Amino acid sequence: MAAAPAARLRSGALGRQLLLSLTILVFSCDACKKVTLHVPSKLDAEKFVGRVNLKECFESANLIHSSDPDFQILEDGSVYTTNTVLLSSEKRNFTISLSNAENWKEKKILVLLEHQTKVHQQSHSKEKVLRRAKRRWAPIPCSMVENSLGPFPLFLQQVQSDTAQNYTIYYSVRGPGVDREPMNLFYVERDSGNLFCTRPVDREQFDSFELVAFATTPDGYHPEFPLPLVIRIEDENDNYPIFTEETYIFTVSEDSRVGSTVGQVWATDKDEPDTLHTRLKYSILQQLPASPTLFAMHPTTGVITTTSSQLDRELIDKYQLKIKVQDMDGQYFGLQTTAICIINIEDANDNLPTFTRTSYVTSVKENTVDVEILRVSIEDKDLINTANWRANYTILKGNENGNFKIVTDPKTNEGVLYVVKPLNYEERQQVTLQIGVVNEVPYSKEVSSKSAMSTATVIVNVEDQDEGPECSPPVQTVRIKENAPIKTKIDGYKAYDPETKSSNGIRYKKIKDPKGWVTVDENTGSITTFRNLDREAEFIENGIYNVTILASDKDGRTCTGTLGIILEDVNDNGPSILRETVIICKTVMPSPVIVAFDPDDTTNGPPFSFNLESVSDSDLERMWRLTQINDTAARLSYQNDPSFGPYKVPVRVTDKHGQSRVTALNVIVCDCITEADCAYNVEPRTGGGAQPKLGKWAILAILLGIALLFCILFTLVCGATGAAKKPKAIPDDLAQQNLIVSNTEAPGDDKVCSVNGFTTQAVGSSSLGMCGTMGLGVKNGGQETIEMVRGGQQTLESCQGVGHHHTLELCKGGGQHTLDFCRGGHVEVDNGRCTLSEWHNFTQPRLGEKVQLCDQDDSHKHAQDYVLMYNYEGKGSVAGSVGCCSERQEEDGLEFLDHLEPKFRTLAETCIRR
């Protein structure tokens, strides 16, 4: 079966399906290949005819020309009609001229247009000859133009199988457009295999259809495999390019340079990509206001730029552009769409603020402050209420004394001139100011510094008014010697009337006199000393004593001034040593430095001389020596190796005029490293015969020695008592469990101490020895009070839990002694209360009862916790403490120790070997 071309295409069709075929012929020496295009008899205007390969003919051609005005040739070789063309004959031709303007080369291509009817007839005539030459059942590309006008059904192609020569073949198709959406778009004639389309197709909705053709016999036999058929929908330029926005709004500064980017527009086209149908070009159709032309648009990217630097917001603050986008690469027959672009001109500081007047005149009364005296206004063409419009005022000249300031009123943009420091009519009756104004942001254009600021002149007239007395200068000084006698009279503070420049009629009064040294004459202001003056007294700074004076006139107007009384120094003070206690660390600092100070003026001060003051003790000069270091300091050093202790060393210091003073130094000679380590609370000694006295460390060493001696004696007595009797054997495990501390890592030597026939054994460092006769009462988890031979109360806490203490009160009388019984314990001493027989009668029955209950619980059964591991530190055992068994006086009742379990026997044997 073969696919035959569409032979019965009607001559009345508008040429929506175009067949492009090239036939290669040799034209001439300067001609390229001849091209033959098969076209319908009628071609509408602006319709695609075919495509010619221009690059193959002349690759560097930059000029393209058609000899027939009814046809237009594009750069890619596409041929379009410019007018409606009717082919009266079967053939029509025209020439495409290709030339290069640089090298003047030219080549031509002959294009031959042939009517399709003749081609179809030739195909039919040849088909009968070639029908059996090869098999025709193979997929052949097929296409149709979108939005075809018909007539419908529209013939597309014929599917045919060679097996039709031997069988009766029925043809059928399946797939999208047949039995799937869109339904019934295609069908095939059962007997002929002709494939038809029933209605127009939109490529933007379906760009191709993949059908499957079948060839079957009437009895259902398939002599051929299913044939895939792809029908491609050829794009037609039926979609207008659309701008992404109907109105674009951009902003550009008025001081932008040529070529500055304003913005970019975008458009989309739903036609087939990478074809002329979607090749867009942008352009500006109209600008409002039209003159001058200020903007341009890139045809490919849609970027809008400035073409002039004449943008002026003050003249025109907004422009409107009508822009166009057109497909077909901007050809006149391409589809186009328009949009609006609004460009707002942003303000720049291209206009300087200028004063509305060049000079101003105002007036102000003298002695007034913080008053507004003038407002000045400016003109600025820049945008109102922006930094380009807001003004900054400044005073350029005439305000050297700081009497004025000028600020900007934020509401009106005016400059407001204030007086911030009072003016004096008697000094200046008129002040001339020069003020200037600029904007908050710099001027955008390049100008000279003189023309960048507008200036104006302000004349301020000062008005006179009646004033009170004036205290000028506010601080006045007089001199007087500090040893001047009482009632010495000197000049005082003088105020004057600014109008008359006289002090007549002014009254004076003292406001502040810290020491009350002077009085003030009410009429003249002169002062008289009331007490003795002292330059070195308190409140005196740099030798000046300040007195505050109030001056007033007859109308009660006042002013205040300060009278500084300069006290001339008199050498009335001898130099003294400020630090009267000197510590000498004998090992590190044998010679301390002493410094003297003279409160008098430097004219009556250094250099000083240092000497030891002679006293009746002749050892002073043999023990101490002074060495001058500089004008104000000397070094004190000892001789003859004095012993440790305090000393009294008088030193006389004399200034350069002979005024002297004796300072008794407390010198402490100490065995120390730093002065903080040495502190003596004994009276210092004068001279060199110091008697040795014990210090705190010596006393502490003596006390420790005495304590050590008592400890040795105590140990010897206890040892002798223990050796007198042979200790009775006690089960090792019981002693270990009673006396060793559970967390002891290295137990010491075992010691045995006999206490009146009641033997205890101590293990390691937790040893216990009592050198008196004692008894013991045990109560599980609690306390029991027992009494000793010569009296005394003893309290013993059970050793069952780690950390319990045993407190014993010894019968020695007086004092308290602490003994660590399990993990530290506490022994308290009290006076005797009982006799030996009473103590035996009380303790022995109870101890026997406890021994019998050591291995029994409350039910008189073997206790489960009796043979637990020694390091068990828990609580709650129903048995009594096994520690009670270690203090039995006799061995009777201890038979249970011979029946211990194997693990406990091993522990006992280990302890016995130790």
Side-chain angles (χ1 to χ4, degrees), residues 868-889:
L868 291 179
M869 295 181 63
Y870 180 73
N871 60 357
Y872 174 74
E873 297 180 4
K875 296 181 180 180
S877 174
V878 296
S881 173
V882 298
C884 65
C885 300
S886 64
E887 295 184 355
R888 282 282 297 173
Q889 185 172 2

Side-chain angles (χ1 to χ4, degrees), residues 410-427:
K411 296 181 178 179
T412 62
N413 210 32
E414 293 177 322
V416 184
L417 186 63
Y418 289 92
V419 176
V420 294
K421 185 177 178 181
L423 296 167
N424 193 336
Y425 175 82
E426 286 72 29
E427 293 180 357

Side-chain angles (χ1 to χ4, degrees), residues 879-911:
S881 173
V882 298
C884 65
C885 300
S886 64
E887 295 184 355
R888 282 282 297 173
Q889 185 172 2
E890 296 85 12
E891 294 182 356
D892 299 335
L894 301 179
E895 293 81 6
F896 69 95
L897 296 176
D898 297 329
H899 306 286
L900 299 177
E901 292 182 2
K903 292 184 178 179
F904 204 90
R905 283 185 174 277
T906 303
L907 178 60
E909 292 172 359
T910 303
C911 295

Side-chain angles (χ1 to χ4, degrees), residues 526-539:
S526 60
I527 62 174
T528 304
T529 59
F530 182 70
R531 292 186 176 89
N532 293 325
L533 306 179
D534 186 2
R535 181 180 176 277
E536 290 76 30
E538 192 179 1
F539 296 104

Side-chain angles (χ1 to χ4, degrees), residues 21-63:
S21 62
L22 301 177
T23 305
I24 304 175
L25 295 175
V26 178
F27 181 70
S28 64
C29 61
D30 59 345
C32 296
K33 302 174 183 178
K34 182 176 70 173
V35 178
T36 301
L37 301 177
H38 298 279
V39 297
S41 60
K42 181 180 179 182
L43 296 173
D44 294 334
E46 301 181 0
K47 295 300 179 182
F48 178 78
V49 177
R51 185 175 286 108
V52 179
N53 192 347
L54 304 180
K55 298 295 183 181
E56 183 181 4
C57 178
F58 193 6
E59 186 174 1
S60 61
N62 51 24
L63 295 177

Side-chain angles (χ1 to χ4, degrees), residues 144-160:
M144 65 174 293
V145 179
E146 68 168 332
N147 303 323
S148 175
L149 297 179
F152 295 102
L154 178 65
F155 173 76
L156 298 180
Q157 70 173 6
Q158 183 183 28
V159 292
Q160 192 173 14

